[in-house]
């Protein structure tokens, strides 16, 4: 059984992430989306919210699971009995960062390989931060995220904006 983990922040899970997940799920027997619990990064959605949102988005892909983790990716891979790490590549700027991480992970565990998926052209400009930026100003994010994620983002920014008004 070929198991891959697809680690990331996924704050939020975009159409680009979904595309990589679908393509990876066609190649591996099982794909485990690993949401990194990262206290250093200021996140829009809590880790538990992200687990629940992504579960909803990938509901119809039978061989995909969603799990959160903290610590090293190589340790998470070992726990999940995975022999591959899936990552997506958008532009050359991704490459420099990704190759460094991949080489580091391989030096920590030589049995673990990183498999890169080149982004599909229509999703190449999409990032979680762009989706957040647009949504925070009430802009249209339907091309960046799926309808369910868009709805959750609108709700979240609605709550955050109410709090700001109350604080003024
Ligand atoms: P991280 O904080 O680990 O970079 P992200 O949630 O931003 O996590 O991204 C997770 C993975 O998905 C990374 O490998 C990233 O390059 C990839 N990715 C993000 N957006 C896209 C996209 N639009 N198309 C393809 N891959 C993407």
């Amino acid at each position: 059984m070929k198991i891959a983990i697809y680690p990331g922040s996924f704050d939020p899970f975009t159409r680009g992430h979904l595309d990589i997940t679908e393509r990876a799920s066609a190649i591996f027997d099982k794909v485990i989306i690993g949401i990194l619990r990262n206290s250093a990064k200021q996140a829009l959605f809590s880790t538990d919210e992200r687990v629940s949102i992504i579960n909803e988005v990938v509901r119809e892909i039978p061989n995909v699971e969603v799990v959160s983790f903290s610590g090293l990716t190589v340790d998470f891979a070992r726990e999940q009995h995975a022999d591959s790490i899936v990552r997506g590549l958008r532009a050359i700027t991704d490459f420099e960062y990704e190759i460094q991480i991949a080489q580091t992970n391989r030096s920590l565990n030589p049995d673990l390989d990183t498999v890169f998926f080149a982004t599909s052209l229509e999703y190449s400009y999409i990032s979680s931060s762009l989706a957040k930026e647009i949504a925070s100003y009430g802009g249209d994010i339907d091309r960046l995220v799926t309808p369910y994620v868009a709805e959750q983002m609108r709700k979240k920014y609605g709550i955050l904006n109410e709090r700001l008004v109350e604080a003024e």
Side-chain angles (χ1 to χ4, degrees), residues 6 8-10 16-17 20 41 87-88 90 98 119 123 126:
Y6 178 26
S9 314
F10 307 114
H17 294 137
I20 301 296
K41 263 196 189 175
R87 295 285 288 176
R90 282 162 297 188
E98 294 289 343
T119 178
Y123 304 125
I126 297 177

Side-chain angles (χ1 to χ4, degrees), residues 14-33:
T14 66
R15 287 187 187 273
H17 294 137
L18 179 59
D19 175 55
I20 301 296
T21 305
E22 284 172 338
R23 289 160 61 197
S25 75
I27 291 177
F28 295 97
D29 297 307
K30 187 156 116 184
V31 175
I32 300 158
I33 297 175

Side-chain angles (χ1 to χ4, degrees), residues 131-145:
K132 283 186 278 198
E133 172 99 26
I134 297 174
S136 72
Y137 295 112
D140 181 358
I141 45 170
D142 292 352
R143 269 185 299 232
L144 281 70
V145 298

Side-chain angles (χ1 to χ4, degrees), residues 112-123:
L112 196 59
D113 253 314
T114 301
V115 177
F116 293 109
F117 284 81
T119 178
S120 301
L121 202 53
E122 66 264 48
Y123 304 125

